[in-house]
Amino acid sequence: MTQTSPLAPSSFPKMPAIRGIEMATGEAGVKYQGRTDVLLAKMGAETVVAGTFTKSKTASANISWGRAALKSGKAQVLVVNSGNANAFNGKAGEDSVDRIVNFCAEKFSCDKSEIYPCATGVIGEPLPDEKITACIDNLSKNLQGDIFEDAAKAIMTTDTFAKGATKTAKIDGVEVTINGIAKGSGMIAPDMATMLSYIFTDAAIEQSKLQAIFSQGIEQSFNRITVDSDTSTSDTALIFATGKAGNNPEADLSDFTEKLHELLLELAHLIVKDGEGASKFIEIRVEGAENDMAAKTIALSIANSPLVKTAIAGEDANWGRIVMAVGKSGEQANRDKMSVSVGGIVIAKDGQLNPDYVEAEVTKHMQGQNINIQTNVGIANGTATVWTCDLTHGYISINADYRS
Amino acid sequence: MTQTSPLAPSSFPKMPAIRGIEMATGEAGVKYQGRTDVLLAKMGAETVVAGTFTKSKTASANISWGRAALKSGKAQVLVVNSGNANAFNGKAGEDSVDRIVNFCAEKFSCDKSEIYPCATGVIGEPLPDEKITACIDNLSKNLQGDIFEDAAKAIMTTDTFAKGATKTAKIDGVEVTINGIAKGSGMIAPDMATMLSYIFTDAAIEQSKLQAIFSQGIEQSFNRITVDSDTSTSDTALIFATGKAGNNPEADLSDFTEKLHELLLELAHLIVKDGEGASKFIEIRVEGAENDMAAKTIALSIANSPLVKTAIAGEDANWGRIVMAVGKSGEQANRDKMSVSVGGIVIAKDGQLNPDYVEAEVTKHMQGQNINIQTNVGIANGTATVWTCDLTHGYISINADYRS
């Protein structure tokens, strides 16, 4: 059994029920024994859904289904199983999705396009979907409102702690709730989504607006984190809005947008904090790039560099590796104007060592759990911030025998 | 002290002297104590040179010098120091290069543009160039022809064994010799060059032809290997042709080209075999891609995936991670036509598990030192082969405390 990440929060947040959402979790025994592995969520008939999916070219059958279903913009059922990703198993994978969807459509008397079956776990094995539909059958009799911690647990794979976050926002004076859960620990370099994350709100929002706000938030949160540069075949983030809060859907959404974006960032950070083997949470800020996209590319080049990540694991102020990672990014950098700071301490400026630099000060910062790296590449005004964790013996231990 | 890589060859090859090349190695004490850290090579006055350098945007002062000097196409002096890369130290770095070049130009009565100073080691520290020029002064009195193993040792940093290869080729009936040395172990994802590699030949070849043949060979060798996806600020590969073999420079170069390309590939493989912490040598072949460049991108996506590399370290036939790495490459792949083989055994075809697949057979292959991965992505006819090593606890141990 893997130990809980040292970066885990002390407890799961108290998350209230959301009007229009009921859930249940169960043990289908898809792969894991003695723990829950299926989450069923039933939403009210007026629920709108927005979402993003992995850009992987080998995406799972569930992703193909979800992408098509999302065109309806409506949702009534979410089913998530852990232990088997239902990916790269050909026609069998599509058939599994069909059987789960058909079962749910009949069970809950809704349109197939309102059903979202999601899967996470091992790739390339047939999904025992009959275990999942049998489980759904049981769970449908026992739906409850406030079991978000159970829900977050049921979707875990190599995660060492359940991940959830909650916010309240006001739309035109009406209070609405936003709850989110997420899973992810390895194979984390989301590209238009994360491993799996589900957000639920009782707000009433028009689907196209919800999609726009959500996509914008995903780009600034899940799309800015990386554990190991490996992008999953199953990345999915969905938001369900039941409309039960009864607010005016035409009202100003600025507070809702702000709170939703905060919640997405909180969940994204929790995934980094549960990065496989992680012992440090790292924020990387790039400034002075050609534009914001270039800044993001440079920041991810630093965040994905095994040499930067191992230096941080070793609490070594090896800033030359940061310079190397900027240089390999392919984006413009002015070697003779560059600066590098760690923990707010200027190590190098104008392309060389700061004469006032005292390594012991940076070493002290590196002995902490939260590491800040900042670099200005001296070209223009592009900026970006990304988050990652260090690369430790724990990552190797977890991944050299995960499947076996 | 790090142990010699388990993938190291049993001995350094016997490498004959090359007419027109003399060398010496010495201990300047730049960083390391009790070992050589400077290589001096003196070439005849008619020597032509071709080369490639890192594409890093934070390349060292030595790279800038070499790139400019190469325009002359001539060479008489090569100086390589290990222990300090003379990178990212601003004007001080350029001044160090100037002092070494000026010293050598006077010492050896040649043009500055015929002098190639190279450096490898830690980034961001001033180079104590006076130690290097003092060492060159001594070495100039003691030049010899056949000390390629000493030469290969003097340029090592975290390398666990010296790397050399030799070939003979015929040009128009005249026998010529090609000797090469290289260093590299971590920060290996060469992009137009490798860490450091120097090739010497007595062949007479026009500079522009030599550059063309060399660049072509580099693209198929050093540019197809990766240890950790991190590209060095000092990557340099140079070939020196003294012309002392006396062959007709206008003659057919096909045998020379073939042998040179073989030699480059041999050196590139040796670098992978000394990859930090490596326990397996991995060949990755991609077929059926949109074109050859797309195939290379996919192959490197597999080769750089921490999850693929750790699975191989764990001798785990976790082929789903190969599918994942194809999917994240950004290049086209037809999920439902893809095939994956490991060790020549077809694991998946037509986008799903081969019904005849027996995992034990692949596991047996994975317990060996040489791992073969093959995938056809089912789009068109693009192919590429790249080489890498696995990702082990050794890599973490080496890199979490390399600089301290």
Side-chain angles (χ1 to χ4, degrees):
Chain A
M1 199 60 193
T2 313
Q3 284 200 305
T4 302
S5 167
L7 306 174
S10 56
S11 63
F12 193 87
K14 277 204 164 53
M15 288 167 64
I18 302 252
R19 288 163 285 186
I21 311 263
E22 289 185 311
M23 296 176 157
T25 64
E27 300 184 18
V30 169
K31 177 184 158 87
Y32 309 120
Q33 301 300 324
R35 55 156 279 192
T36 57
D37 60 356
V38 171
L39 164 64
L40 170 67
K42 177 71 184 67
M43 275 81 64
E46 301 306 311
T47 302
V48 300
V49 58
T52 61
F53 299 96
T54 183
K55 274 187 181 166
S56 168
K57 298 299 194 295
T58 56
S60 72
N62 301 64
I63 296 288
S64 308
W65 177 273
R67 214 175 258 140
L70 198 59
K71 287 175 189 155
S72 81
K74 296 180 73 188
Q76 288 204 46
V77 179
L78 168 70
V79 176
V80 188
N81 77 268
S82 55
N84 184 321
N86 194 37
F88 208 70
N89 50 11
K91 179 98 178 30
E94 290 168 22
D95 292 346
S96 288
V97 167
D98 283 346
R99 280 191 291 266
I100 292 170
V101 167
N102 288 335
F103 180 86
C104 290
E106 184 157 330
K107 186 87 201 162
F108 301 103
S109 309
C110 61
D111 197 87
K112 288 188 198 175
S113 68
E114 296 175 297
I115 296 161
Y116 291 81
C118 303
T120 178
V122 70
I123 295 168
E125 292 183 7
L127 183 71
D129 53 80
E130 71 289 354
K131 290 186 181 177
I132 295 169
T133 45
C135 187
I136 294 169
D137 197 28
N138 280 328
L139 296 180
S140 66
K141 300 160 198 155
N142 192 27
L143 293 161
Q144 295 170 264
D146 55 352
I147 58 157
F148 284 92
E149 184 168 3
D150 290 343
K153 281 181 180 166
I155 65 174
M156 286 167 45
T157 55
T158 57
D159 303 61
T160 75
F161 63 88
K163 300 168 189 69
T166 181
K167 300 277 175 195
T168 55
K170 284 202 171 163
I171 304 178
D172 196 24
V174 177
E175 192 164 274
V176 304
T177 305
I178 317 171
N179 282 356
I181 58 171
K183 64 85 48 178
S185 183
M187 211 179 273
I188 297 292
D191 190 10
M192 288 303 122
T194 179
M195 282 297 281
L196 295 179
S197 182
Y198 305 101
I199 319 297
F200 305 90
T201 179
D202 50 6
I205 302 182
E206 202 235 314
Q207 200 274 341
S208 63
K209 283 186 191 167
L210 186 64
Q211 181 69 55
I213 292 169
F214 192 60
S215 296
Q216 195 188 12
I218 292 290
E219 175 55 26
Q220 297 297 328
S221 56
F222 290 120
N223 282 359
R224 307 256 156 165
I225 62 169
T226 180
V227 168
D228 53 10
S229 80
D230 277 342
T231 303
S232 161
T233 51
S234 309
D235 285 350
T236 298
L238 294 170
I239 180 166
F240 302 96
T242 65
K244 298 287 185 191
N247 59 281
N248 173 8
E250 302 299 317
D252 175 32
L253 293 172
S254 54
D255 186 55
F256 178 85
T257 302
E258 186 185 324
K259 296 294 162 48
L260 173 62
H261 289 183
E262 283 175 14
L263 178 139
L264 291 172
L265 196 56
E266 211 173 305
L267 288 174
H269 286 185
L270 286 174
I271 288 178
V272 172
K273 287 180 178 172
D274 203 10
E276 287 173 338
S279 75
K280 312 268 183 189
F281 178 77
I282 308 163
E283 175 171 299
I284 297 164
R285 170 82 179 165
V286 172
E287 298 177 346
E290 194 182 3
N291 52 49
D292 290 351
M293 276 309 293
K296 183 182 171 188
T297 301
I298 294 168
L300 285 172
S301 178
I302 300 170
N304 283 323
S305 161
L307 290 173
V308 171
K309 292 161 89 86
T310 47
I312 292 170
E315 303 181 341
D316 178 5
N318 193 333
W319 59 278
R321 294 182 181 178
I322 299 169
V323 174
M324 174 281 297
V326 171
K328 76 164 180 165
S329 72
E331 295 295 342
Q332 281 191 59
N334 185 330
R335 189 188 65 194
D336 300 327
K337 284 191 181 173
M338 266 181 70
S339 66
V340 177
S341 300
V342 173
I345 298 152
V346 180
I347 300 181
K349 57 181 182 182
D350 299 328
Q352 55 190 303
L353 198 63
N354 172 9
D356 302 328
Y357 168 54
V358 180
E359 185 168 319
E361 289 172 12
V362 169
T363 302
K364 199 175 162 196
H365 173 75
M366 297 197 69
Q367 287 163 351
Q369 272 189 340
N370 291 291
I371 308 298
N372 283 289
I373 292 175
Q374 194 169 16
T375 180
N376 188 308
V377 299
I379 298 291
N381 298 313
T383 62
T385 305
V386 308
W387 296 270
T388 190
C389 57
D390 53 344
L391 174 57
T392 68
H393 284 288
Y395 185 85
I396 309 293
S397 300
I398 293 166
N399 284 301
D401 52 21
Y402 161 55
R403 179 161 163 276
S404 302
Chain B
M1 201 56 194
T2 313
Q3 284 202 307
T4 302
S5 167
L7 305 173
S10 56
S11 62
F12 194 87
K14 276 202 162 54
M15 288 168 62
I18 302 253
R19 288 163 288 186
I21 310 262
E22 290 185 311
M23 295 176 158
T25 64
E27 300 183 18
V30 168
K31 177 184 157 85
Y32 309 120
Q33 301 300 324
R35 57 156 279 193
T36 57
D37 59 356
V38 171
L39 164 64
L40 170 67
K42 176 71 185 68
M43 276 79 66
E46 301 307 310
T47 302
V48 299
V49 59
T52 59
F53 298 96
T54 183
K55 274 188 181 167
S56 168
K57 298 299 194 297
T58 55
S60 72
N62 301 63
I63 297 288
S64 308
W65 177 272
R67 212 176 259 140
L70 197 60
K71 287 176 188 154
S72 82
K74 297 181 70 187
Q76 289 203 47
V77 179
L78 168 69
V79 176
V80 188
N81 76 267
S82 56
N84 183 322
N86 195 36
F88 207 71
N89 49 12
K91 179 96 175 33
E94 290 168 22
D95 292 346
S96 288
V97 167
D98 283 345
R99 281 190 291 267
I100 292 170
V101 167
N102 288 335
F103 180 86
C104 290
E106 183 158 330
K107 186 87 202 164
F108 301 103
S109 309
C110 62
D111 197 87
K112 288 187 198 176
S113 68
E114 296 175 299
I115 296 161
Y116 291 81
C118 302
T120 178
V122 70
I123 295 168
E125 292 182 8
L127 183 71
D129 53 80
E130 71 289 351
K131 291 185 180 175
I132 295 170
T133 46
C135 186
I136 294 169
D137 197 29
N138 280 328
L139 296 179
S140 66
K141 300 159 195 154
N142 193 27
L143 293 161
Q144 293 169 267
D146 57 350
I147 58 156
F148 284 92
E149 184 168 3
D150 291 343
K153 282 181 180 165
I155 66 174
M156 286 166 47
T157 55
T158 56
D159 303 60
T160 73
F161 63 87
K163 299 167 189 71
T166 181
K167 301 278 174 195
T168 55
K170 284 201 170 163
I171 304 179
D172 197 23
V174 178
E175 192 165 275
V176 303
T177 304
I178 317 171
N179 282 356
I181 58 172
K183 63 87 46 178
S185 183
M187 212 179 271
I188 299 291
D191 188 10
M192 289 302 123
T194 179
M195 280 297 281
L196 294 179
S197 182
Y198 305 101
I199 319 297
F200 306 89
T201 179
D202 50 5
I205 301 182
E206 204 235 313
Q207 199 273 340
S208 63
K209 283 186 190 165
L210 186 64
Q211 181 69 55
I213 293 169
F214 191 60
S215 295
Q216 196 186 13
I218 291 289
E219 176 54 28
Q220 297 298 327
S221 56
F222 290 120
N223 282 358
R224 307 257 156 163
I225 62 170
T226 180
V227 168
D228 53 10
S229 79
D230 276 342
T231 302
S232 162
T233 50
S234 308
D235 286 350
T236 298
L238 294 169
I239 180 166
F240 302 96
T242 66
K244 299 288 184 190
N247 58 281
N248 173 7
E250 302 299 317
D252 174 31
L253 294 172
S254 54
D255 186 55
F256 177 84
T257 302
E258 187 184 324
K259 297 294 163 49
L260 173 62
H261 289 183
E262 284 174 15
L263 179 136
L264 290 173
L265 197 55
E266 213 172 304
L267 288 174
H269 286 185
L270 287 174
I271 288 179
V272 172
K273 287 179 178 172
D274 204 9
E276 288 173 338
S279 74
K280 312 269 183 189
F281 178 77
I282 307 163
E283 177 172 298
I284 297 164
R285 172 82 178 162
V286 172
E287 297 176 348
E290 191 181 5
N291 52 48
D292 290 352
M293 275 309 294
K296 183 182 171 189
T297 301
I298 294 168
L300 285 173
S301 178
I302 299 170
N304 282 323
S305 160
L307 289 172
V308 170
K309 293 162 90 87
T310 47
I312 292 170
E315 301 179 343
D316 177 6
N318 192 333
W319 59 278
R321 294 182 182 179
I322 300 169
V323 174
M324 174 281 298
V326 171
K328 75 164 180 165
S329 71
E331 296 294 342
Q332 280 189 60
N334 186 329
R335 190 189 64 193
D336 299 327
K337 284 190 181 174
M338 266 183 69
S339 66
V340 176
S341 299
V342 172
I345 298 151
V346 180
I347 300 180
K349 58 182 181 182
D350 300 326
Q352 55 191 302
L353 198 62
N354 172 8
D356 301 329
Y357 168 55
V358 180
E359 184 168 321
E361 289 172 10
V362 170
T363 301
K364 199 175 162 194
H365 172 76
M366 296 199 70
Q367 286 162 352
Q369 271 188 341
N370 292 291
I371 308 299
N372 284 290
I373 293 175
Q374 197 170 14
T375 179
N376 189 308
V377 298
I379 298 290
N381 298 312
T383 62
T385 305
V386 308
W387 297 269
T388 190
C389 57
D390 54 343
L391 174 57
T392 68
H393 284 288
Y395 185 85
I396 309 292
S397 300
I398 293 165
N399 285 300
D401 53 21
Y402 161 56
R403 179 162 163 276
S404 301

